[in-house]
Amino acid sequence: MRHGMSGRKFNRTSSHRKAMFSNMAAALIKHEQIKTTLPKAKDLRPIVEKLITLGKKGGLHNRRLAYAQLRDDVIVAKLFGPLAERYSQRPGGYTRVLKAGFRYGDAAPLAFIELVERDVAAKGLDSGPVMVNDEDEAEG
């Protein structure tokens, strides 16, 4: 019997699972909305909620705890700056999971996980190198 055992294994080692959720939490804080499978989204929720609570509390120790999880100075700064201000009056429930159908190929249930009261402009922002056409450079 599985009494009192929480969390899914996702057919991964514990270190792989920890790294996966760390990367997903960083992506969610950065873009404020990501698409993933429904079980991963449901398991990511408490991780991100705890990180936002750390951001609201502030202080050096909480900042170091958040950095140990996220490993990115820019994202930790966003967590302790704009996100902490945005959710300062909210007692919890910073994320929502929206079902998004099924994936073509393996029929895995997909979901969007997003921050409540999210900044729509943050989606896709700073997500990699931008392709620049040679024709655009010649015109400019």
Side-chain angles (χ1 to χ4, degrees), residues 54-104:
L54 287 178
K56 282 174 57 177
K57 287 180 182 176
L60 181 62
H61 181 64
N62 290 327
R63 187 176 288 264
R64 286 178 173 166
L65 288 173
Y67 183 80
Q69 176 92 21
L70 298 172
R71 289 290 185 197
D72 191 339
D73 287 325
V74 176
I75 294 178
V76 171
K78 180 178 180 180
L79 183 64
F80 281 77
L83 291 182
E85 292 170 17
R86 186 186 308 167
Y87 298 120
S88 62
Q89 299 301 315
R90 193 176 188 95
Y94 313 113
T95 59
R96 77 167 57 99
V97 175
L98 302 169
K99 292 183 181 180
F102 297 91
R103 184 163 54 203
Y104 178 77

